[in-house]
Amino acid sequence: MALIKCENVALGYEDNVAAENISFEVNRGDYLYIIGENGSGKSTLIKGLLGLIKPIRGKIVYGDGLKKNRIGYLPQQKDAKTDFPASVYEVVISGCAGREGLLPFYSRDAKERACSAMRKLGIHDLQNCSFRELSGGQRQRVLLARALCATDSLLLLDEPSSGLDPVVTAEMYKITDELNKIDGVTVITVSHDLQAAAEDATHILHMKKSPLFYGTRDEYLKSDVWSRLSGANEGEI
């Protein structure tokens, strides 16, 4: 059974529909890119997948043991709080909160998960550093490690390369690709980057209020949508 399945979903706020006719599924091991121009409903879809808003129509089904509080979420840099006086370790282990319930302290398992995530992301030596003093690329690694603490199965990344320079962007793409292909973590990435989608994705959902396309990467590269848009500038997608 799919981890997530959207069946003819419409999402929005009150009577304002931001995205509709959305049907797709994500299975274990998939790497789904959700791409589209600003205003196409990508952010609204993220909120729906996280269970923060309910569909106006249709339904979002979670399966294969996935729970909404076990989705690892990496927000956009602009949406992440960066001014709180917490250490890297404190930020990372906070990703275990949904797993721990109402315990007044973190378990040994949570501490081991946090240390493992930091080692995987190459930030273990930064664990005692203040989060707000880190560079943008280091902060993204910390927040990705935090997201890993929350999940065993699914990462949802919202514009993970936004605001990063080309070198750090390439590092982020490499990390998420390895998490998917080597560690078997299912990944959903929201992005404007067509080229990254063409290189890394197993499946692509291209949105424009109603989806323009959903299918495998190979199907996308043969589609009229790709033919029309592959030469567009990143901000024009």
Side-chain angles (χ1 to χ4, degrees):
M1 185 177 181
L3 286 171
I4 293 180
K5 187 172 184 179
C6 289
E7 300 178 351
N8 198 31
V9 169
L11 292 162
Y13 308 92
E14 296 181 352
D15 295 327
N16 181 25
V17 176
E20 59 186 342
N21 302 321
I22 302 171
S23 296
F24 68 92
E25 64 180 47
V26 179
N27 295 285
R28 287 192 182 275
D30 284 354
Y31 195 145
L32 172 68
Y33 262 76
I34 301 174
I35 58 179
E37 62 189 10
N38 291 332
S40 61
K42 301 189 303 297
S43 295
T44 305
L45 177 56
I46 289 172
K47 291 178 181 178
L49 296 178
L50 291 170
L52 301 178
I53 60 173
K54 295 181 179 180
I56 297 172
R57 295 186 299 275
K59 59 182 179 179
I60 300 174
V61 181
Y62 303 86
D64 204 9
L66 179 67
K67 298 179 181 179
K68 284 181 283 189
N69 67 345
R70 293 293 180 90
I71 297 175
Y73 174 52
L74 174 68
Q76 290 189 42
Q77 284 254 11
K78 65 181 181 63
D79 295 328
K81 295 181 180 179
T82 59
D83 59 350
F84 47 83
S87 70
V88 166
Y89 175 77
E90 289 169 332
V91 173
V92 172
I93 200 170
S94 69
C96 296
R99 311 173 67 94
E100 296 286 282
L102 298 177
L103 292 177
F105 51 85
Y106 289 110
S107 66
R108 176 179 295 180
D109 178 68
K111 294 174 183 178
E112 290 176 352
R113 288 182 69 88
C115 288
S116 175
M118 287 188 293
R119 284 193 292 268
K120 192 179 294 292
L121 273 296
I123 55 171
H124 197 266
D125 59 337
L126 299 175
Q127 63 177 311
N128 295 320
C129 295
S130 172
F131 178 74
R132 63 185 176 185
E133 295 176 358
L134 302 179
S135 67
Q138 289 172 329
R139 286 176 179 173
Q140 281 295 77
R141 285 176 179 256
V142 172
L143 293 175
L144 183 54
R146 179 183 185 275
L148 277 175
C149 282
T151 189
D152 293 312
S153 53
L154 178 64
L155 285 173
L156 177 51
L157 315 178
D158 190 0
E159 300 283 2
S161 62
S162 177
L164 304 180
D165 65 48
V167 173
V168 178
T169 294
E171 291 176 353
M172 285 300 297
Y173 284 146
K174 183 175 184 292
I175 289 169
T176 54
D177 189 54
E178 289 177 350
L179 288 172
N180 175 250
K181 292 182 171 60
I182 297 176
D183 295 338
V185 178
T186 305
V187 180
I188 300 176
T189 294
V190 177
S191 179
H192 286 88
D193 195 332
L194 274 176
Q195 191 58 47
E199 292 176 359
D200 297 332
T202 62
H203 295 75
I204 294 173
L205 174 66
H206 196 132
M207 297 184 63
K208 193 172 184 179
K209 190 122 184 194
S210 290
L212 286 174
F213 176 92
Y214 168 67
T216 67
R217 176 185 59 187
D218 291 343
E219 290 169 342
Y220 184 72
L221 295 179
K222 296 175 183 177
S223 71
D224 292 339
V225 179
W226 171 259
S227 297
R228 292 199 309 270
L229 298 177
S230 58
N233 291 326
E234 184 173 307
E236 297 173 350
I237 296 169

